[in-house]
């Protein structure tokens, strides 16, 4: 197996080939977690991995609590399955809190004050109340706790890490929070070793082949913890040495071969967010394409939002402009496109428009 084979296996295991799921919950459960700070892009990431889906259907699953959104792992917002959220917070919250410690000191949020915040939030959200940030800010202020701007953001994140709160259904375009215990019934907690081994198996099932350092990066665990998790899962994982590096994958992965003639397949086109699991879930991103292409992307800084994938390899960037009448996609390829590649991009753009329920206009930019 070489880097090209790694890319093809990852396409299949990440549900970007012919093998798809039927519900948003099944996609998130398979992948373990889906990075979701860009909510619209995260919904598309799920939609691409479903047999048929629309933005509205993924949003409906989110509002119903079939998938939850919370700060976890690195940390940033992720979609998680309800059955995973407590175990993953128990595994990774300690390191996230350690990373937040200096900012908490700067914001004068010590343990005693955060406990007061937790009590105020629990009271505000009790009995199925789903409140926006602005509404929660008012409730905290009423409890004589200053809670605006970054201070509010870190108060809410800490409550998420405590497994006290999580996402509620949206109110129009606004996000809300809910009590986790009301959103997800409590279950038997896993032991630390059970949770470690289970999380490793889930990662390599939906992301393999990958290295221990990739799992550590994705999960927010230390490399030693990641290696321990793999050790606990060795009976369920396959090991392979590629170019001197050790890769792990699940024997239940590598699904059907990506369909070379179908958009989203091995030889097709993918219109991905930079935060899609295919791009973001690895410390070593060498399988994504030539070093010059990766350096070109890095040089774009914050201007980079989305990438074009052809045959599993980064081949350009794309941008979208939404309007009431439709969506305009501007694709900037890194090489002169062949006819088959243009056809694959056109099909991928059409699929994106169908997901949004909008007509698509596609053009190529420099």
């Amino acid at each position: 197996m070489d880097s090209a084979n790694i890319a093809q296996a990852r396409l299949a295991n990440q549900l970007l080939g012919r093998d798809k799921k039927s519900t948003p919950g099944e996609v998130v459960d398979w992948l373990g977690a889906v990075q979701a700070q860009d909510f619209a892009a995260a919904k598309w990431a799920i939609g691409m991995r479903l047999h048929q889906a629309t933005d509205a259907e993924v949003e409906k699953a989110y509002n119903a609590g079939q998938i939850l959104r919370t700060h976890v792992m690195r940390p940033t917002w992720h979609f998680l399955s309800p059955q995973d959220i407590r175990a993953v917070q128990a595994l990774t919250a300690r390191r996230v809190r350690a990373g937040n410690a200096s900012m908490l000191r700067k914001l004068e949020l010590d343990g005693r004050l955060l406990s007061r915040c937790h009590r105020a939030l629990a009271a505000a959200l009790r009995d199925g109340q789903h409140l926006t940030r602005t509404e929660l800010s008012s409730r905290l202020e009423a409890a004589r706790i200053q809670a605006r701007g970054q201070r509010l953001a870190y108060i809410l994140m800490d409550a998420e890490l405590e497994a006290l709160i999580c996402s509620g259904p949206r109110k129009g375009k606004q996000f809300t929070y809910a009590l986790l215990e009301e959103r997800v019934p409590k279950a038997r907690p896993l032991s630390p070793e059970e949770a470690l081994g289970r999380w490793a198996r889930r990662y390599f099932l939906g992301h393999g082949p990958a290295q221990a350092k990739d799992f550590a990066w994705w999960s927010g665990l230390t490399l030693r913890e990641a290696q321990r998790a793999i050790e606990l899962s060795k009976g369920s994982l396959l090991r392979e040495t590629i170019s001197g590096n050790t890769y792990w994958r699940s024997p239940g992965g590598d699904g059907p071969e990506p369909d070379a003639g179908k958009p989203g397949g091995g030889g097709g086109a993918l219109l991905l967010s930079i935060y899609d699991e295919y791009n973001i879930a690895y410390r070593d991103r060498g399988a994504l394409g030539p070093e010059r292409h990766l350096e070109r992307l890095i040089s774009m800084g914050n201007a980079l939002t989305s990438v074009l994938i052809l045959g599993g390899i980064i081949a350009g960037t794309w941008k979208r402009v939404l309007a009431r009448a439709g969506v305009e996609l501007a694709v900037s390829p890194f090489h002169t496109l062949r006819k088959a590649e243009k056809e694959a991009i056109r099909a991928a753009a059409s699929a994106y428009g169908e997901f949004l329920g909008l007509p698509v206009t596609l053009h190529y930019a420099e």
Side-chain angles (χ1 to χ4, degrees), residues 1-9 208-209 240-243 247 249 254:
M1 183 178 285
D2 57 19
S3 60
N5 297 129
I6 291 172
Q8 294 304 303
E240 187 167 0
T241 301
I242 305 169
S243 301
Y247 286 79
R249 60 185 176 88
D254 294 348

Side-chain angles (χ1 to χ4, degrees), residues 170-185:
R170 290 220 286 176
K171 290 182 179 179
K173 297 296 184 182
Q174 293 191 71
F175 295 98
T176 72
Y177 291 86
L179 283 180
L180 181 61
E181 67 178 18
E182 294 185 358
R183 205 79 161 137
V184 185

